[in-house]
Each structure stands twice: as structure tokens, then as C-alpha cells.
Amino acid sequence: QVELVEAGGGLVQAGGSLRLSCVVSGTIFEENDLSWYRRAPGMERELVATITSGGSINYADSVKGRFTISRDNAKNTVYLQMNSLKPEDTAVYYCNVREDQGRVFGVFDYWGQGTQVTVSS
């Protein structure tokens, strides 16, 4: 079974940094696109950053220049380095693995359990 274990959330002051990690098992990690999403209170889940199996990266406009997504295929781990944190970054952050199951079954998303990030003023 596919499992995603997240770590690294916490409470920090504005301007501080956190590094989230997500260890993935049960899938061919290097073939999957990986993403970080977040859900702030009362809002829909939003895409924060994506890194594809080929290494292409995209960020939400709100985090460009502050967040960095990376992957270590040898460790089956995806990271999100978050710098210059703002109160509006406060949310539950979710790791996502998008697995291509082929023409018949299509694409399927797996999710981590979520980790709380709280940024104080």
C-alpha cells in the first residue's frame, strides 16, 4: 500500500523558516509527480508547489521566492523548504503523490496525513 509520512510542521514567528518532509513508500517514487498542498482555515485546499518526475518545478505565486520544493529519489522523500514565513502561510500542509496507473486506470492521488504550520505575527 502507498504510505506518505509527513514531518516538520510547527509554530514559528513571521520571518522564520520550516522544512517539511514527506517519506513515501509503496509506489515507484521516481516515476511520480510530487506536490505540496495546503488548506487554511475556512478555505479550499490550494496547490503550493509541484515537482515532476522529470524535475520540472512550479510554485504558487504567493510562495515564489520564499519556498523551495525538492526531491531525493534515493530516500523516497520530498521536501518543502519554507523561508520568510508569513501569517497567511498558516495552514495544514499535505504531501501529494500523483501516480499514473496507466491507460485503463488513469491517474490516482495519494495524500499525507497533514502537518500543521502556524506563523505568528
Side-chain angles (χ1 to χ4, degrees):
Q1 61 183 12
V2 178
E3 294 184 343
L4 289 70
V5 180
E6 299 182 37
L11 193 158
V12 297
Q13 295 182 344
S17 297
L18 285 173
R19 191 193 196 201
L20 307 183
S21 64
C22 177
V23 180
V24 180
S25 62
T27 188
I28 306 175
F29 183 85
E30 63 269 22
E31 295 182 357
N32 301 142
D33 295 348
L34 309 169
S35 296
W36 289 95
Y37 288 76
R38 67 187 181 187
R39 189 180 71 181
M43 300 187 67
E44 287 285 297
R45 185 168 57 195
E46 64 174 337
L47 177 63
V48 176
T50 296
I51 182 166
T52 70
S53 60
S56 298
I57 293 173
N58 289 102
Y59 297 100
D61 288 341
S62 59
V63 307
K64 285 181 179 177
R66 300 188 298 120
F67 290 11
T68 302
I69 188 171
S70 62
R71 66 191 295 164
D72 187 339
N73 289 342
K75 296 180 179 180
N76 284 11
T77 302
V78 59
Y79 304 93
L80 185 67
Q81 178 67 48
M82 304 184 294
N83 298 327
S84 302
L85 283 162
K86 304 175 180 179
E88 51 262 45
D89 295 318
T90 295
V92 179
Y93 284 71
Y94 298 91
C95 178
N96 166 267
V97 173
R98 177 159 288 184
E99 182 181 82
D100 186 351
Q101 298 180 344
R103 184 71 169 84
V104 175
F105 297 104
V107 171
F108 197 88
D109 288 332
Y110 299 93
W111 298 93
Q113 79 279 10
T115 184
Q116 177 70 49
V117 172
T118 302
V119 185
S120 62
S121 301

